[in-house]
Amino acid sequence: MEMPIPDSDVIARRRDIAEDLSRIVPGEGVIVEEDERRPYEADGLTAYRTLPLIVVLPETTEQVAAVMRYCRDNSIKVVPRGAGTSLSGGALPLADGILLGMGKFNQILELDYPNRCARVQPGVTNLGITHAVQDDGFYYAPDPSSQIACTIGGNVAENSGGVHCLKYGLTTNNVLGVEFVTIDGEVLRFGGKHLDSEGYDLLGVLTGSEGLLGVVTEVTVRLLPKPECARALLIGFPSNEAGGDCVAAIIADGIIPGGMEMMDKPAIDAAEAFAKAGYPMDCQALLIVELDGPEAEVDYLIDRVRGIAEARGATSLRISETEEERLTFWAGRKAAFPAVGRISPDYYCMDGTIPRNKLPHVLSEMAKLSTKYGLRVANVFHAGDGNLHPLILYDANEPGELEKTEEFGAEILKLCVEVGGVLTGEHGVGVEKRDLMPEMFTEDDLKQQQRLKCAFDPQGLLNPGKVFPQLHRCAELGRMHIHKGQLPFPDIPRF
Amino acid sequence: MTESASTFRPENDAQLIDAIAWANSDLKPLELVGSGSKRALGRPVQAAHCLDLSAFAGITLYEPEELVLGAGTATPMADILAVLEEKKQELAFEPPDFGPLLGRPAGEGTLGGLLSSNLSGPRRIKAGAVRDHFLGFDAVSGRGQAFKSGGRVVKNVTGYDLSKLLCGSWGTIGAMTAAVVKVLPRSEKTRTVLVRGLDPEAAVKAMSDALNSPYELSGASWVPSDLTTASDVGYVRDMESSVTAFRLEGFGPSVEYRCGKLRADLAPLGETEELHSHNSLAFWAWVRDVKPFGQPGDERVVWRLSVAPTDAPAVLARLHEITGAAAFLDWAGGLIWLALPHPKTGAEELVRGALRTGGHATLIRGPKSLRAAVPVFQPQSAAAAALSRRVKESFDPNRLLNPGRMYEGV
Ligand SMILES: Cc1cc2nc3c(=O)[nH]c(=O)nc-3n(C[C@H](O)[C@H](O)[C@H](O)COP(=O)(O)OP(=O)(O)OC[C@H]3O[C@@H](n4cnc5c(N)ncnc54)[C@H](O)[C@@H]3O)c2cc1C
């Protein structure tokens, strides 16, 4: 993976720049010593590491604005960082760029229940929001597996999802407003406590923009009242096809469960060995269907889903009778990553989305690729919305195995695109999938997206080297090549 | 209605690209038109030519089990709603039909018009807005280049989410030719609980409490007595007072259960009434399509204000200081529909002045002279306006697509 060549002049000025910055962010907020920068060298995609030029940890929006202005005026690159759990290298530092850590923005500013929203700083963790409001009967719906650590600012930047997104939406559907700072140091607000943002939906554009357009300094999130109850079904199937059919049949019956997760045989085995969740061992695919809402509804739908599953050849079916039992059903699924970590020295988590009905095809193709590369793969799957997480098992200490794994991963993602899906469902492009972008987009598509970036960041200082495989200068992107037509398009019908 | 010298009607992508490329070479602005049903909304566009996109019609993808539908942007909404109906599905944001409100027949709108305006119905409070259901598109930019974003799956973070940008951009970013939207199962049952006689303050409080209960409301509206008298639902007319309406939708047993619970919660507010299927549908269609202000011959100016729901009573009180004001609430107070007899100024300063703590106001209906004279969309801060302009120019550097429809110079 090639990153933009670091600017050695900037690196040579490290001490001076740090001194300037510590006038903006006094105290411990500017980190320049190598051993103190070390903890920031990678995010969740640990195969890639770079020591940042300087780490800056601002505490106020004014400081962020001043840092941004300084960086713009001195052409210094900026990489925003939340908790550093990105799995795509979105927060991978640059040797000639400052790493702007937003961890000190950790305050919940306002809980506004009558308007069902909370105003929080971006460094608050995802779970921190739910913790702050759960005693009052509310929660924040998007629930990435990393929710204990990841920040809401990172969630906005990645448009993160979780098992509840099928029914309640992704981050983008649960954020009402943001305050953000442009590279010019301007502080802008989009949205607020009202439901529709005015003018262009730049809140929507910012969400999922991977830190390439601005730094988020405040987020207004939507809160939901906690459902009365939740129950889950644990259903085993003799084949991936049968499991996939059941998922389709549930939705065709008009039911959108709170969560609907599937695991294939290798994932079931690993999860059971690790979490002892009592998963059936005689099935090839395991489905967890969770229904939440008023009790009367949940009980009614549990019966309906049971009927559908039995008609689709379920080999085992359990229904949670207590809250403990429901959580046990989930324990294996939620521990799938560490469980796979136990049976293999390393694993590589992929994240493609496919049209749901392509699942059997994609899984069988994946099995062929697994044989071809000689690498095992376990699959966990947000079955309701087609988001697939193949975990490739490998050993980074074996020479060449990481490269082979990445190649395997790339083939899986290409397969996802081939069947009508996409490269990434929730983890982001970052550096990881950057060079695969042309699988999905034409050069014109990618140039147009970069022109949009130019509208926010004309010098290309915000998180360069991420998302786009090829960097172009804004001036070059802006040029138009239009030849003066002769007669106005003679072929087009006119009236 | 248009000043356009002539109309071009490209029949395929190549012709559309040609048309926009030509417009660039001659710097001729274009007015983009699907069916033209919302032409009377927005600032009047001064365009040399009209770009008629009606050829890009037809449903190309509908997989009910995958919850997706794809179609040409000129596909009539009526066609889309009909195929969804067959499979007991719907667009969960409840697309309104503003035809009659804007002085045109009902049922004319297209998918492209819906997406370009991002106007959602009462269920927005539960299911999200148009933008939340817009998965991907194909378009031609103002540069005359084809581009796309998104796809046919919901979980997708590959590249910028341009669907959000295009949604509500009123044709100023690109000419969309095809789009994919998320569809959802339609509820098996609908019930509406009515409470009589609440003032705005009490109504907003009651709606907020109900939305904060676990009963999953899918609509919450307040209509004052001067408007309920014109309702096409007998029960509502007979109330002879203001009506606060709470909608519950879902599976039969669930709706019955929640309805019982909600009525018990609301009992201290007085007598409650229940609307069942047909009446419930009719009531919410009336709210959704702004029928209180959409009767033939009604020429009042109509504003739409989006506010924090709990701000609604105070904003409403200020709006009622304007002579002749009539207003009702949707979205539990988050949406204020206002009609005024002020064709010259639309009382613009007073309307926007009523928004003291955030939110925004859009002029939805007014004579052309009014729409040219006052900002139709909420004016932005200088920095936000400059950014919007740069965003527009990144797709349409010569500002040829619907120039000025949203803001002057955009
Ligand atoms: C074990 C594990 C499980 C995971 N499970 C899920 C899952 O279920 N679903 C899911 O969607 N993701 C998941 N992730 C991925 C990751 O947690 C999310 O992408 C998360 O949103 C990243 O948040 P963060 O605070 O760690 O951001 P970081 O990793 O620090 O940064 C991520 C990106 O956001 C940008 N950024 C961060 N803060 C800001 C800000 N304030 N302003 C502007 N840009 C900013 C960064 O530049 C970077 O591009 C998982 C990760 C791990 C390690």
Side-chain angles (χ1 to χ4, degrees), chain A residues 196 200 297 356 445 479, chain B residues 65 143 148 172 254 360:
Chain A
D196 283 349
Y200 291 144
E297 173 170 325
R356 251 189 329 261
D445 292 335
R479 242 169 260 145
Chain B
E65 278 148 54
R143 307 172 59 91
K148 64 175 177 297
T172 60
S254 171
H360 55 93

Side-chain angles (χ1 to χ4, degrees), chain A residues 207-457:
Chain A
T207 310
S209 65
E210 304 198 21
L212 269 71
L213 299 182
V215 175
V216 175
T217 48
E218 189 189 302
V219 187
T220 304
V221 298
R222 194 160 87 106
L223 298 175
L224 294 181
K226 262 196 294 202
E228 257 181 22
C229 75
R231 291 174 74 191
L233 298 99
L234 188 70
I235 316 168
F237 289 95
S239 66
N240 291 321
E241 282 83 352
D245 279 353
C246 182
V247 169
I250 290 170
I251 287 175
D253 194 41
I255 302 170
I256 305 293
M260 185 145 59
E261 296 287 307
M262 194 163 135
M263 287 186 262
D264 69 357
K265 183 67 175 159
I268 302 168
D269 289 345
E272 181 57 22
F274 183 82
K276 313 260 179 319
Y279 287 171
M281 295 313 310
D282 58 350
C283 63
Q284 291 299 312
L286 189 64
L287 198 61
I288 305 177
V289 182
E290 178 162 296
L291 298 152
D292 63 357
E295 260 166 59
E297 173 170 325
V298 170
D299 292 348
Y300 169 73
L301 290 182
I302 287 265
D303 274 347
R304 253 166 84 161
V305 171
R306 184 220 308 260
I308 294 168
E310 282 167 352
R312 307 277 148 173
T315 47
S316 69
L317 189 147
R318 282 171 56 200
I319 296 169
S320 70
E321 295 300 337
T322 62
E323 188 60 8
E324 288 80 53
E325 198 175 10
R326 180 181 74 87
L327 295 174
T328 315
F329 288 3
W330 280 110
R333 166 63 185 86
K334 294 223 162 156
F337 290 12
V340 163
R342 268 256 295 256
I343 58 168
S344 168
D346 298 283
Y347 69 91
Y348 184 36
C349 174
M350 309 301 300
D351 165 47
T353 307
I354 55 173
R356 251 189 329 261
N357 58 19
K358 297 293 194 302
L359 178 68
H361 170 72
V362 168
L363 288 183
S364 76
E365 288 301 302
M366 218 187 289
K368 286 184 207 154
L369 289 171
S370 168
T371 312
K372 170 176 158 193
Y373 285 95
L375 293 168
R376 289 179 297 163
V377 58
N379 269 291
V380 295
F381 186 50
H382 300 306
D385 42 33
N387 189 193
L388 198 61
H389 290 314
L391 303 167
I392 304 175
L393 282 50
Y394 73 105
D395 182 353
N397 287 327
E398 287 288 319
E401 202 152 299
L402 172 64
E403 290 71 22
K404 208 163 68 166
T405 302
E406 288 184 333
E407 224 175 284
F408 182 6
E411 283 213 48
I412 294 176
L413 295 183
K414 287 180 196 168
L415 177 63
C416 291
V417 175
E418 223 175 80
V419 301
V422 300
L423 292 172
T424 170
E426 56 183 17
H427 293 168
V429 176
V431 291
E432 188 205 17
K433 280 151 282 203
R434 186 190 74 184
D435 292 350
L436 291 172
M437 287 290 268
E439 295 291 328
M440 238 179 98
F441 295 109
T442 65
E443 201 181 319
D444 278 352
D445 292 335
L446 290 171
K447 282 189 169 165
Q448 188 51 60
Q449 292 192 33
Q450 289 187 72
R451 281 187 201 105
L452 176 62
K453 176 170 167 62
C454 293
F456 287 79
D457 176 22

Side-chain angles (χ1 to χ4, degrees), chain A residues 43-44 78-92 100 102 122-123 143-147 149-163 171 209-212 214-217 333 337-338 347 351 382 387 389 425-428 430 463 466, chain B residues 155:
Chain A
D43 59 16
V78 180
V79 178
R81 176 182 165 111
T85 66
S86 165
L87 292 172
S88 55
L92 176 70
L100 194 67
M102 297 300 288
D143 54 346
S145 311
S146 53
Q147 67 181 154
C150 66
T151 67
I152 189 70
N155 291 175
V156 169
E158 299 284 11
N159 188 17
S160 302
V163 296
T171 301
S209 65
E210 304 198 21
L212 269 71
V215 175
V216 175
T217 48
R333 166 63 185 86
F337 290 12
Y347 69 91
D351 165 47
H382 300 306
N387 189 193
H389 290 314
E426 56 183 17
H427 293 168
N463 219 359
K466 318 289 169 69
Chain B
K155 280 288 239 349

Side-chain angles (χ1 to χ4, degrees), chain A residues 40 90 94 125 135 172 202 219 250 265 296 309 355 370 374 415 428 465 476:
Chain A
Y40 298 91
L94 298 171
T125 62
D135 288 347
T172 190
L202 298 181
V219 187
I250 290 170
K265 183 67 175 159
S370 168
L415 177 63
E476 175 202 335

Side-chain angles (χ1 to χ4, degrees), chain B residues 17-69:
Chain B
I17 289 170
D18 267 5
I20 296 179
W22 170 81
N24 269 287
S25 72
D26 267 22
L27 295 182
K28 292 280 194 260
L30 301 169
E31 181 183 7
L32 275 53
V33 177
S35 69
S37 76
K38 292 195 184 65
R39 249 176 154 177
L41 209 171
R43 299 178 77 248
V45 172
Q46 301 287 333
H49 300 283
C50 179
L51 189 58
D52 176 345
L53 297 169
S54 60
F56 298 92
I59 296 171
T60 50
L61 163 79
Y62 179 35
E63 294 178 8
E65 278 148 54
E66 299 279 321
L67 305 176
V68 290
L69 180 142

